[in-house]
Amino acid sequence: MGHAMKRKEDPRFIQGKGRYVDDVKLPGMLYMDLVRSPYAHAKIKSIDTSEALATDGVLAVITGEDLKAAGDLHWMPTLMSDTQMVLPIEKVAYYAQEICAVIATDRYIAADAVEKVVVDYEPLEAVVDPHLALEDKVIVRDDKDKKTNHIWHWEAGDKEATDKVFAEAARVVEQTMHIPRIHVSSIETCGMVANYNKATEHMQIYMTSQAPHAHRTVFALVSGLPEQKIQIISPDIGGGFGGKVPVYPGYVCCAVASLVTGKPVKWIEDRSENLQADSFARDYHIAAEMAADSDGKITGLRVKTLSDCGAADAAANPSKFPAGLYSICTGSYDMKAAHIAVDGVYTNKPPGGVAYRCSFRVTEAVHMIERMADIMAHELGEDSADFRLKNFIRPDQFPYESPTGWQYDSGNYTAALEKAMEIIDYRALRKEQAEKRECGELMGIGISSFTEVVGAGPSRDFDILGIKMFDSAEIRIHPTGKAMARFGTKSQGQGHETTYAQIVAEELGLPASDVQVEEGDTDTAPYGLGTYASRSTPTAGAAGAMAARKIKAKAKKIAAHLLEVGEDDLEWNVDKFQVKGSPDQAKTIQEIAFAAYTNHPQGMEAGLEATDYYDPPNLTFPFGSYICVVDIDSGTGEVHVRRFVAVDDCGNIINPLIVEGQIHGGLTQGLAPALFEEIVYDENGQNLSGTLADYLVPTAVESPKWETGRTITPSPHHPLGAKGVGESPTVGAPPAIVNAVVDAMWHLGVRHVEIPMTPQRIWSQLREHGVTD
Amino acid sequence: MLLVHFVREVLDLTGTHIGCDTTSCGACTLLLNGRAVKSCTVFAAQADGGSVETIEALAADGNLHPLQEGFWEKHGLQCGYCTPGMIMSAKELLARNPNPTEEEIRRGISGNLCRCTGYNKIVEAIQYGAKKQSESGEEVSA
């Protein structure tokens, strides 16, 4: 642990020998392409597939009617126990919705045949604004008994106590903010190769899946195929970030196509399809209020939020949490009371709400609390760092019970912020800002001191479609002392082949190079809930440590047998058991492994292996402080991020190199929605940002040179003292940047800027506040 | 037929990847007649009679190219999907400019999108590759 070792998985990637789903080629493989709706809301009067079917090379066209006839497969359950159309029969509910699937002998023929399918639509009025949707004038889901767009209402905290705090407050600030729709846009899009063998009735599926076991169970329940006859292989995945957690209609059509034809069928979506129809992230409309007393101590938080879910509630949340872990939004601050109310609503947009690198709505929560803290600090005329230091939960208050029911495991917010301030020389920057202000230059400093909540999760509260959110590890040591370790998670670039090997190496003294880590094949890996929400280290990493400890306990018995001593006479020393007081009498783990197969004690089972299914007792709470310095061009409104210091605390670190990579990547994915990315619809529900030419993923030019630092506050309940880390930066970065921009213009009267903070938005505010250049 | 499909499906060289449909992401970058091109926007027929170099060419003799070494040493990749395109762009960049500044590197790979790394370590990987190439006095050609 703690060793910055080079990654074990890299040799194949740097040589172009990775195996991604689109690299899979099976004999006789067919290609599937999808006809998609050009309307956001329309009745389907007819679908004419005759010309497509008559085309040479086209084997089948699957419509909603076909799926219905095959056993009501035209609808499927979502992860939030709503229903979603696989292929529509009566009407379409979002732009780019899948209409029918064309299966052909090559991808070019399939693409041409898609153009030959004639769909007669009767366009309907679309409802795009979630506030308008609440008026129920245009109903998105007329398949429901209750003709309303309102899906659910959810509350957390204590309304009465919060209202009292606000009534008694010395100061109240309020702000509305919209966290717009964005897209994960991993460089590999989604896809599948489904391979049904009619003779053996076995369905083999290669899938871009972050959670292959959960997907296998869902497939079994929906299709009726026996679960032991379904194998899902998640090979190398080119980035997930939450976008490869939902089950998309394309996957279902691909599997059905293979069932029907008895041949392998490949479906790989185009980038445009990916951006336009796949599950979006965010889209929260927030109205927040913060209360403080006369000493500038935060006393309460009151929040109302509208969650725009699109045409189905297909959010990827644990089932009891329709608004995810949003109630973490009291953040790093100690306060008396809080109340949060969220409403979910249907609109004519793609369904979803993936947890895009944010552990279930934590980005929205942190954006809100860090903006509110900054607004309050500025309103009170206090320095934004000093305001936070005054209001932080203190180290002696941990484990901390938040006003909305979270038990934070550990934290030291003061240390992280002070370290960030030291690295960036904060006080000097404030001096510089004051000087620049005199000359009319716009320089801003923004802070974000976030608390994340990751590692879902304890079985008493956390399940996805009823499956509890434990995770697993299975470790087997071979006679020659080499190990195989399989896990229920699935890396999409996070480096598990290396970090898990490091955990096993640390626990058992084997070199990490002798530990072969595998994930992703449901036939061999133990059951797990997959990788997202920064849960792998907290759950499967913990399972790995616990399984290794079971092995160590057996190894001790074998060592005692070999050395002819009692177990109590032995002590562990890095990679061997030695006799206390007589260290030259020892057996290495390799010698013990060999003995497990050749010389084990009579009455003991041979072999040296263990499995652990780990039910975490709590989530883990990584945290950090980020400080961003911006210079704004008052002529163009362009924001230049001059410096960005990120101090993160994820508890004990397994591999510092990998942690740093995760932080850099998350920071760029946090910068992106702050400045560039937004999914935009017109009033008819047409997607205006549906290709990478319009949806602005940052390049190496836009992405700043990130500076990072660490503090280490271990988790008291995790076997390795570790917390998750991959999402902290995506969560913490956006408000740091917004706070910096607003700070730069606060003296002009600017209070808030919505994201993405395009030059147009900033320039407009500057004009409005009398700055012309 | 697009050059990227020809390389991936006819030649069975799947190291070159597809990431978009608007010539935006660069995952399909390979060297055509020594120049880095996005092979999704080139017809296979346009490569007729020319030389095509993909990621698979770099360690063909069993030794990693300095850039490949750099990506491994400096953790310049996570999911690996943008990596072949990134390395091929970097290879051509170093052939034109063996000693680039950080800004020149960032500009040189601005046609290659990465979602995982935040680019810092890709820049370090390319700096490593540049340094190794000039130290070994290797003939630098694209």
Side-chain angles (χ1 to χ4, degrees), chain A residues 257-423:
Chain A
S258 186
L259 266 167
V260 157
T261 58
K263 289 184 179 297
V265 177
K266 173 181 275 190
W267 170 66
I268 308 289
E269 56 174 12
D270 293 336
R271 175 61 61 188
S272 308
E273 296 179 284
N274 171 266
L275 289 176
Q276 292 168 23
D278 279 7
S279 191
F280 66 93
R282 317 283 188 258
D283 218 350
Y284 261 26
H285 298 257
I286 302 172
E289 302 169 90
M290 178 182 269
D293 66 19
S294 50
D295 292 324
K297 298 265 312 190
I298 301 169
T299 50
L301 185 73
R302 192 160 56 190
V303 188
K304 283 194 171 59
T305 299
L306 194 56
S307 167
D308 183 341
C309 298
D313 186 3
N317 290 322
S319 70
K320 297 185 178 70
F321 298 83
L325 310 184
Y326 186 59
S327 61
I328 194 64
C329 59
T330 57
S332 312
Y333 309 107
D334 190 20
M335 61 183 81
K336 294 203 182 100
H339 184 252
I340 292 97
V342 188
D343 288 277
V345 65
Y346 289 127
T347 56
N348 286 117
K349 295 181 203 152
V354 285
Y356 172 13
R357 202 164 182 164
C358 74
S359 188
F360 316 118
R361 300 296 183 181
V362 181
T363 318
E364 293 87 328
V366 166
H367 196 96
M368 185 270 296
I369 184 67
E370 286 306 302
R371 280 296 299 129
M372 296 311 287
D374 225 59
I375 292 170
M376 179 63 87
H378 280 76
E379 285 278 335
L380 294 174
E382 293 187 30
D383 175 274
S384 39
D386 294 326
F387 178 77
R388 285 176 168 80
L389 289 167
K390 178 171 63 178
N391 277 286
F392 278 155
I393 300 163
R394 297 181 319 271
D396 61 273
Q397 288 179 279
F398 287 89
Y400 173 76
E401 298 279 349
S402 86
T404 53
W406 293 103
Q407 192 195 65
Y408 296 15
D409 60 357
S410 66
N412 189 343
Y413 304 134
T414 303
L417 179 53
E418 285 180 345
K419 183 150 195 181
M421 290 166 73
E422 190 198 311
I423 294 173

Side-chain angles (χ1 to χ4, degrees), chain B residues 63-107:
Chain B
N63 297 312
L64 290 180
H65 185 280
L67 278 169
Q68 289 173 309
E69 239 186 77
F71 272 75
W72 195 5
E73 287 293 328
K74 294 295 177 184
H75 188 36
L77 65 142
Q78 291 180 27
C79 81
Y81 201 75
C82 77
T83 308
M86 202 57 90
I87 291 177
M88 299 315 283
S89 284
K91 186 168 193 270
E92 197 231 53
L93 168 68
L94 293 184
R96 282 186 284 112
N97 181 356
N99 204 5
T101 62
E102 175 159 350
E103 204 197 319
E104 285 168 336
I105 292 176
R106 286 180 180 267
R107 226 157 266 288

